[in-house]
Amino acid sequence: MPVVALVIAGAIVAFEQLVQLQFGVMGLIGFLFLTIGVKAKHSGCSAVGAIVLATLLLQT
């Protein structure tokens, strides 16, 4: 079980790095807002993160 958790954590960190590489700091901030909002079940926080990521995706 710890190996699976370690692999999942590594995949999440790799995805965050990919988002930051592709979209910069704003992409990382949007991803963090979205993640925190989903985990905390706070719709406002997740909406802000989704809007930031959508805006960055539409610009490129």
Side-chain angles (χ1 to χ4, degrees):
M1 189 62 161
V3 174
V4 174
L6 186 61
V7 169
I8 291 172
I12 291 172
V13 168
F15 182 72
E16 286 179 351
Q17 292 297 320
L18 179 67
V19 167
Q20 185 178 10
L21 180 66
Q22 182 72 26
F23 300 113
V25 176
M26 285 304 294
L28 185 62
I29 290 171
F31 181 71
L32 288 176
F33 267 113
L34 184 63
T35 305
I36 291 169
V38 168
K39 286 186 181 185
K41 296 181 181 172
H42 189 269
S43 60
C45 189
S46 58
V48 167
I51 290 171
V52 168
L53 288 177
T55 304
L56 290 172
L57 283 172
L58 292 175
Q59 285 181 353
T60 56

